[in-house]
Amino acid sequence: MTPDVRIAALFPGQGSHAVGMGADLAATFPEAAEVYAQADAVLPGLRALIETGPLDDLTLTANQQPALVAASVAAYRAWRAHTGLTPAFAAGHSLGEYSALVAADALSLGDALRLTRQRGELMQAAVPVGEGAMSAVMGDPAVVQEVCAAHAGVQPANFNAPTQTVISGTRAAVEAAGAELKARGLKAIPLKVSAPFHCTLMDPAAQGLAPALHTVRYAPPAFPVYANVTAQPTTDAAPLPDLLTRQITGAVRWVETIEALAAAGAEVFIEFGPGKVLTGLVGRILPGARTLNVGTVEQVQSFSL
């Protein structure tokens, strides 16, 4: 069933996790239960970790990435089964791009779970603990880019909102750039992260994951999926492995992605999975935009456009 309004399905990345996420969906909807059962078959113990924790173990990058894919896809499939609706577009923030591709039937759930487990392991191992850093910068992104260009070893990693850009790189370079940004009137807030994501320090992870990304099978997306590194829609299977490889070291162009979705006709933005990070960002990018969250049984059962 195609809705009268054009839906953009959004899928969250790291940081949106919580112990118990999606457990009520799996207990209520067979479609969600099947996702969790498959997750446990592919990665034994993952379902128990999602449902009961402990949080410290769930937070580990190698666990959190496939866990969020499972929770997001479970919410999406429960919603689809209950409403009969299909989105017009999809996009995911960083890790969430894998969930978006599963939703669009371009990548199998099993492959997405295996890839994101390996992705998490490689990203965590790419940089020794303590050598990298990330900071959230509040202010003009043009100034952020200018300052990063003047400091070797740091680059914009996430263009999250019109006045929120995350920078990533070596600890020394991130701190030096942060000091200059503060001197120029911007705010730079160090983030508690396990590694410096979406920067060139992640190149070993990109090289390590590329063979697996180019080995799995892809299908043409059932609806356009907007890629992080281009902020452009993908409707063909051929570019997907390269886009996912480039995403590991490239910036997440989220502001451009949401603006492109709106320009393409998206009328309502639905975040599938735990948390409300992405709908919050949409509200900052497109003030007044219609946003909804689907991550619990109540949100599925009471869904209305």
Side-chain angles (χ1 to χ4, degrees), residues 93 158-162 164-166 252 254-255 281-282 284-285:
H93 191 284
N158 304 72
F159 294 95
N160 282 335
Q164 183 193 325
T165 306
V166 175
V252 176
W254 194 247
V255 173
L281 293 178
V282 171
R284 294 170 63 183
I285 298 166

Side-chain angles (χ1 to χ4, degrees), residues 98 101-109 111-112 115 216-219 244:
Y98 288 81
L101 290 170
V102 174
D105 295 323
L107 180 65
S108 75
L109 175 61
D111 283 337
L115 287 169
V216 301
R217 297 184 62 181
Y218 302 88
L244 292 173

Side-chain angles (χ1 to χ4, degrees), residues 277-295:
V277 171
L278 300 185
T279 49
L281 293 178
V282 171
R284 294 170 63 183
I285 298 166
L286 302 173
R290 289 188 63 198
T291 61
L292 293 166
N293 292 86
V294 172

Side-chain angles (χ1 to χ4, degrees), residues 173-230:
V174 169
E175 289 175 352
E180 182 176 340
L181 288 162
K182 288 179 181 178
R184 295 178 63 164
L186 284 70
K187 291 184 178 180
I189 304 166
L191 299 177
K192 293 181 179 179
V193 294
S194 57
F197 303 121
H198 296 290
C199 73
T200 54
L201 292 177
M202 286 289 110
D203 189 58
Q207 292 187 34
L209 191 60
L213 287 169
H214 284 80
T215 299
V216 301
R217 297 184 62 181
Y218 302 88
F223 38 79
V225 176
Y226 283 65
N228 282 188
V229 294
T230 63

Side-chain angles (χ1 to χ4, degrees), residues 17-77:
H17 66 294
V19 171
M21 58 185 180
D24 62 334
L25 292 168
T28 305
F29 298 100
E31 297 78 12
E34 173 56 31
V35 169
Y36 276 54
Q38 188 171 351
D40 216 41
V42 173
L43 300 174
L46 184 63
R47 180 172 187 170
L49 184 59
I50 293 171
E51 293 184 341
T52 62
L55 179 60
D56 285 349
D57 289 349
L58 180 61
T59 301
L60 292 173
T61 301
N63 292 330
Q64 186 183 161
Q65 292 200 19
L68 276 167
V69 169
S72 298
V73 172
Y76 173 78
R77 290 186 175 173

Side-chain angles (χ1 to χ4, degrees), residues 5 30 33 53 76 107 125 131 162-163 197 207 218 224 231 240 246 269 283:
V5 298
Y76 173 78
L107 180 65
E131 291 190 11
T163 57
F197 303 121
Q207 292 187 34
Y218 302 88
L240 295 177
R246 290 168 55 197
F269 297 83

